[in-house]
Amino acid sequence: MTGGEHMARLLRATGLYTLPGDSPADWELDALAAGLDILEEAAAGLEEELFLLTAPARRLAEWEKLFRSQSSGAGLTVRRMAAAKALGARFERPSLRAIQENVLPAAGVLGTVQEEGGKLAVSGSLQGVTLKEAKRLLDRLLPAHMEWELTVL
């Protein structure tokens, strides 16, 4: 229900206004409703930009600047999820599953991680980031005490 419709409903409920559609009260209500429509549209746009998982591409680039030196070139859904992982993740205890589900997407990598000889072997495809950027983020996000290697498929 729009603001104009809500105002009309409230005015009718008072019993003081009939609002037949062609009265001065209707005209004034229509003018107020037009102004409210503009404000409601602007508020909806701001609300969309406010949340990472609904942010449009241009606002998402601003979010990405908080943890990446470049904006991702991946699709909007992939970018939103990667940013959410990087900015909102409270990573679990380091486990291969936690690294694969949380760290890799945050670094822009879609893939798997295995432990081989005391070293993490990460393999996968890049999701809109350069190899240099993926390595930089993995270096920041992976457990510091473990060596790792990235193989891009």
Side-chain angles (χ1 to χ4, degrees):
M1 174 181 301
T2 66
E5 291 167 342
H6 184 69
M7 283 192 313
R9 192 177 98 202
L10 291 175
L11 290 173
R12 284 188 187 100
T14 66
L16 299 173
Y17 299 91
T18 57
L19 302 174
D22 59 356
S23 71
D26 287 300
W27 303 332
E28 188 170 342
L29 185 59
D30 289 343
L32 291 170
L36 282 175
D37 288 346
I38 293 168
L39 292 174
E40 288 171 349
E41 186 177 322
L46 288 173
E47 185 177 359
E48 195 173 78
E49 289 187 13
L50 180 63
F51 299 104
L52 182 61
L53 294 176
T54 58
R58 66 181 164 69
R59 180 61 63 200
L60 190 56
E62 297 296 318
W63 283 100
E64 288 172 324
K65 285 180 186 176
L66 297 174
F67 66 97
R68 285 192 174 146
S69 60
Q70 69 167 93
S71 291
S72 173
L76 203 51
T77 302
V78 170
R79 289 176 63 196
R80 286 173 176 159
M81 291 309 296
K85 296 280 186 186
L87 295 174
R90 299 289 183 255
F91 298 130
E92 306 165 23
R93 289 184 60 139
S95 69
L96 295 178
R97 183 180 115 321
I99 290 170
Q100 185 169 317
E101 291 177 4
N102 296 311
V103 175
L104 295 187
V109 178
L110 178 63
T112 60
V113 62
Q114 298 175 343
E115 187 174 355
E116 297 174 359
K119 184 178 184 179
L120 294 178
V122 178
S123 61
S125 60
L126 300 178
Q127 301 293 299
V129 296
T130 63
L131 180 61
K132 181 180 177 181
E133 183 68 6
K135 285 182 176 182
R136 186 184 74 79
L137 288 165
L138 285 172
D139 199 41
R140 282 182 42 200
L141 298 171
L142 287 173
H145 68 283
M146 295 192 77
E147 290 184 45
W148 58 271
E149 182 177 296
L150 173 62
T151 304
V152 177
L153 304 175

